[in-house]
Each structure stands twice: as structure tokens, then as C-alpha cells.
Amino acid sequence: AQSVTQLGSHVSVSEGALVLLRCNYSSSVPPYLFWYVQYPNQGLQLLLKYTTGATLVKGINGFEAEFKKSETSFHLTKPSAHMSDAAEYFCAVSDGTGTASKLTFGTGTRLQVTL
Amino acid sequence: EAQVTQNPRYLITVTGKKLTVTCSQNMNHEYMSWYRQDPGLGLRQIYYSMNVEVTDKGDVPEGYKVSRKEKRNFPLILESPSPNQTSLYFCASSLWVSGELFFGEGSRLTVL
């Protein structure tokens, strides 16, 4: 079975500061990894994903994440936070076999951006 | 516009009164799924469907039913709602079972 752990249910950063949201996973097979963002009163939308290939993945709105197999991590970063980044962020893992596999989501990290 | 549409967006009901939350997607996706979102628990999968007439239980299926008679529609049925089903529900679809999920805007259900 696969699982996802997001460290920190709430993270607060100042505008312009580095954003770092942590995600660790467990999977018995090579994982597919995703970050989704949920803005207030909206559904989730994909920020970025890792399937195979390059381990540094760039997403929308200046976010990126690095797949580190040795650390079983997929942390999300952004060099400079903007007020519009305030949202809840979910890391998710899938075994990627395509046979009745499904995404397992973490419990989410709420990002607050202050002036 | 590609989208997943859920209705109703907000609903207050009473214990035991059957209700259906509809979900429709216009992207010709084979895979559809229902999730519930609760504070501190993230998203938990209720049911999913790989294609028409193919459905399977997720992590928290108790108290829910689904059907997939058409590719575009995947309704969630609560036969006898109880207060512990008060939650925010999301429908999602995907072209590929492990690929990008497209989410609806959510349906907030309160069971009194």
C-alpha cells in the first residue's frame, strides 16, 4: 500500500520569502507523484507531476518539486512567495501501474502568506 | 470549456432522507472518482469507476452508492444520510487512471 505524509498542516511565510512544503511518500513500486493546489471555495487543480525522467519538475505559478528516491521525498518549493499563493496544497502518490491504481492524498498543508 | 460539474453545490438535509449528488464531465474521460474532504483528514476516496458499468470501492465507501451508466455521468447516492456524512464532496475525472485528475468545485453537504 502507498501512503503520503505532509509535514506541517500550516505553514506561514512572508511575501517574497522561500516557500517549502514537505512531502514524503511510501510506495512498493516506482511512484507517480503529484502536487495539487486548492484555492478557497474551489476544487483542486494540478500544480505539477512526476512520472519518469527528470527528477526536478517545474509546474505552474513558479512552483517546482524534486523527486528524491533515496529520501522518498517530493518537496514543493517556490523561490519567492506571493500573496496569491495562499491556498491549501496536497501531495499525492500513485503506483502508476494503470490497473485499478488510484491516487492517495496527503492531509494537506495550508500556506499563509503575510506582508 | 473542459469541466467537471457537480450539483448541488450546497445542501442541507436531514437524517435518512435520500439524496443524490450529480457529477458530469465533458472531457470523454474513462476514469471518474468521488472524494470527501474533512479537516485534518485530507481527501479520502469513496468510490471510483474505470469505465461504464465498472465501479469499485475506495477507502471510505460505507453509506454511499454510485452508478456509471453513461461515460460522462457518475452520481453519488446517499440512501440514508447520517450526520457523519456531513462533509465537502468532490468529483474528479481523468483520461488515464493515474494521470491528472480534473476536479469539480465541490458539494458541501450538511446532514442534520
Side-chain angles (χ1 to χ4, degrees):
Chain A
Q2 59 210 27
S3 66
V4 175
T5 301
Q6 291 184 242
L7 294 175
S9 58
H10 288 84
V11 171
S12 182
V13 301
S14 300
E15 191 173 36
L18 171 71
V19 175
L20 171 61
L21 304 182
R22 300 179 186 273
C23 172
N24 288 88
Y25 69 91
S26 69
S27 177
S28 57
V29 297
Y32 287 17
L33 295 158
F34 305 80
W35 276 99
Y36 283 83
V37 60
Q38 183 182 29
Y39 297 105
N41 299 315
Q42 294 186 26
L44 284 73
Q45 63 184 88
L46 183 69
L47 261 184
L48 50 79
K49 65 179 179 182
Y50 168 80
T51 54
T52 58
T55 57
L56 182 62
V57 181
K58 295 187 184 299
I60 61 173
N61 300 337
F63 284 93
E64 62 182 37
E66 186 171 11
F67 169 59
K68 291 188 176 180
K69 184 178 178 180
S70 61
E71 299 178 8
T72 60
S73 69
F74 191 57
H75 301 331
L76 182 70
T77 60
K78 182 174 180 178
S80 177
H82 192 272
M83 296 296 287
S84 60
D85 295 327
E88 188 153 22
Y89 293 80
F90 292 91
C91 184
V93 63
S94 172
D95 67 11
T97 64
T99 55
S101 62
K102 54 184 174 66
L103 285 179
T104 298
F105 286 87
T107 53
T109 297
R110 186 169 297 278
L111 176 66
Q112 181 182 19
V113 182
T114 59
L115 288 172
Chain B
E1 180 189 354
Q3 59 186 3
V4 178
T5 303
Q6 299 178 222
N7 280 295
R9 295 286 314 280
Y10 302 91
L11 179 63
I12 300 174
T13 189
V14 295
T15 299
K17 186 176 182 181
K18 180 180 178 180
L19 68 92
T20 299
V21 186
T22 63
C23 174
S24 181
Q25 52 92 4
N26 62 1
M27 295 168 279
N28 202 36
H29 287 169
E30 291 85 9
Y31 181 82
M32 297 185 74
S33 183
W34 276 102
Y35 295 86
R36 60 177 289 173
Q37 183 179 17
D38 301 288
L41 297 177
L43 277 81
R44 294 179 292 168
Q45 190 178 51
I46 303 171
Y47 270 94
Y48 64 96
S49 170
M50 303 284 283
N51 214 325
V52 176
E53 302 292 1
V54 181
T55 63
D56 207 348
K57 296 177 181 179
D59 299 315
V60 288
E62 294 78 21
Y64 305 95
K65 286 176 58 177
V66 293
S67 68
R68 187 91 181 272
K69 292 182 168 51
E70 304 167 282
K71 197 173 187 179
R72 63 183 293 126
N73 296 324
F74 191 45
L76 179 69
I77 303 158
L78 285 73
E79 293 271 1
S80 182
S82 62
N84 64 12
Q85 292 179 299
T86 292
S87 186
L88 178 58
Y89 291 87
F90 287 101
C91 180
S93 71
S94 175
L95 185 60
W96 171 54
V97 68
S98 291
E100 176 182 356
L101 280 175
F102 291 83
F103 284 83
E105 293 191 310
S107 296
R108 186 169 293 282
L109 171 65
T110 301
V111 183
L112 302 175

